[in-house]
Amino acid sequence: MKPLTADEARRVAEDVDKRAEQESQDPEVIKGYAEGPWLDHLLAAAESGRKYGTSMPPGPTNSPEVAPAVHAWAGAGTGTGERWILAASEVSSHTVGASQNSAELRWSLHHEGKDGTWRVGLKAFAPTVGALPTPAVGPDGQAVTGGDTSNLAADPAEVCGRYYDYRNGKDGTKASDTGWAADIDDARAKLAEMRKDLPVRLDNPKSLTTQQEPTRTPYGPLWRTVDGGALVACLAVNTAVVDMGPGRYQTFSSSGWSGTTGIRWNSYTQTQLSMTMLKIPAGPGEVSIGAEASWPYTFDGTRYNGS
């Protein structure tokens, strides 16, 4: 199979993004441009809309998205012959009639299916617009994937599970010498503080449970970087179960779940999909976050009936 050039990879990523802009709730249309975890997210969003009677979640008004500057690297799944693309899109938007502008860098993974169609499987956001991925490129112009991992600061086959364990307050280092960078330590501390304050923020419900179930192996190939390190994609499902108790309810003024705002919920269960691209350095070093995002997944609630 002929390798993709950098320009071809960029055009593929742009084409997938354009197909994704259809914003259809038809599962068959969604399956034409999404796969894996991103497909799961979109199908769950479509089901939520049908369940609660809203076709699409409300979006910002008068804020058109400007055509992104796209960077893309084509690579192969090691030993599989499959073709993948790691892309980074500099997406910006502006508010009509005002000077307010926003910009963000979105990393994404695209995969060519057996039918020859390219689909997007993962999306996450870099901490800054300038934080482009740095894949190593071989003599054939393709991104280098796989290879010897013995010199990496963390085992890529296990780092996803260890990362989410650590974020959730577990040690995460006892079985390895994995070191976590300051951004991960900060994220861990913020999560612990958020969970501590959550009961008050939710008006002290009768019961509240949260949990995270990570996929302990990476999604997609291992992308080698120019400094000898690697990039891996990690996934987890976050669940929150809230019961306000008899005679009580909670109302959302904003929500990522279509059709759930403005309703008095006596109890509900909501899940989110966490998507993270980790940077693993070569040799002794600290694992850090290249890009991450949390996307609305499933929602199931019981409405308050006035008693």
Side-chain angles (χ1 to χ4, degrees):
M1 186 176 295
K2 184 180 178 181
L4 294 176
T5 66
D7 283 344
E8 288 171 335
R10 177 179 51 78
R11 286 196 294 270
V12 167
E14 290 175 331
D15 175 67
V16 175
D17 282 345
K18 288 179 181 178
R19 285 188 279 130
E21 289 172 1
Q22 299 174 77
E23 296 186 340
S24 172
Q25 298 291 81
D26 184 340
E28 293 309 310
V29 173
I30 296 172
K31 291 175 184 177
Y33 62 80
E35 70 162 35
W38 192 246
L39 174 62
D40 293 343
H41 154 65
L42 294 178
L43 292 180
E47 175 59 27
S48 175
R50 287 189 292 270
K51 185 175 182 179
Y52 297 109
T54 302
S55 60
M56 289 295 296
T61 58
N62 297 325
S63 297
E65 186 175 283
V66 178
V70 178
H71 312 263
W73 299 263
T78 306
T80 65
E82 297 177 326
R83 297 201 295 184
W84 291 78
I85 290 173
L86 169 61
S89 304
E90 297 176 47
V91 182
S92 61
S93 64
H94 66 277
T95 301
V96 174
S99 60
Q100 181 178 353
N101 296 283
S102 64
E104 54 193 355
L105 183 69
R106 182 184 64 212
W107 293 18
S108 56
L109 288 180
H110 305 74
H111 176 243
E112 185 181 35
K114 294 181 179 180
D115 61 356
T117 300
W118 285 89
R119 298 173 174 87
V120 60
L122 180 144
K123 293 184 181 182
F125 295 100
T128 64
V129 174
L132 285 169
T134 55
V137 177
D140 60 356
Q142 302 298 285
V144 180
T145 58
D148 182 16
T149 62
S150 61
N151 71 323
L152 295 177
D155 183 351
E158 298 180 355
V159 72
C160 289
R162 296 188 190 282
Y163 165 71
Y164 286 118
D165 285 347
Y166 187 73
R167 279 284 294 262
N168 278 280
K170 300 179 181 179
D171 188 340
T173 62
K174 290 181 179 179
S176 74
D177 295 327
T178 302
W180 308 107
D183 60 347
I184 295 179
D185 283 333
D186 289 344
R188 182 188 189 188
K190 289 178 181 177
L191 179 59
E193 188 66 21
M194 183 273 290
R195 287 179 172 169
K196 179 181 177 182
D197 296 340
L198 192 57
V200 175
R201 290 171 53 201
L202 296 180
D203 196 22
N204 295 309
K206 175 186 176 183
S207 65
L208 165 65
T209 60
T210 60
Q211 67 176 15
Q212 185 175 75
E213 296 182 9
T215 300
R216 306 196 75 85
T217 53
Y219 171 74
L222 175 73
W223 302 84
R224 304 311 295 252
T225 53
V226 293
D227 59 2
L231 299 169
V232 295
C234 303
L235 303 164
V237 176
N238 305 302
T239 303
V241 182
V242 179
D243 183 353
M244 297 304 296
R248 302 185 66 214
Y249 61 85
Q250 184 180 8
T251 304
F252 305 139
S253 59
S254 62
S255 169
W257 291 269
S258 180
T260 64
T261 58
I263 295 173
R264 298 187 299 180
W265 297 107
N266 176 248
S267 62
Y268 58 89
T269 299
Q270 62 184 30
T271 63
Q272 293 179 303
L273 278 177
S274 170
M275 300 184 179
T276 305
M277 292 287 288
L278 292 177
K279 298 192 293 185
I280 309 174
E286 298 176 330
V287 177
S288 60
I289 298 170
E292 67 176 345
S294 185
W295 303 98
Y297 194 23
T298 62
F299 184 95
D300 184 51
T302 301
R303 297 172 189 252
Y304 174 68
N305 60 12
S307 62

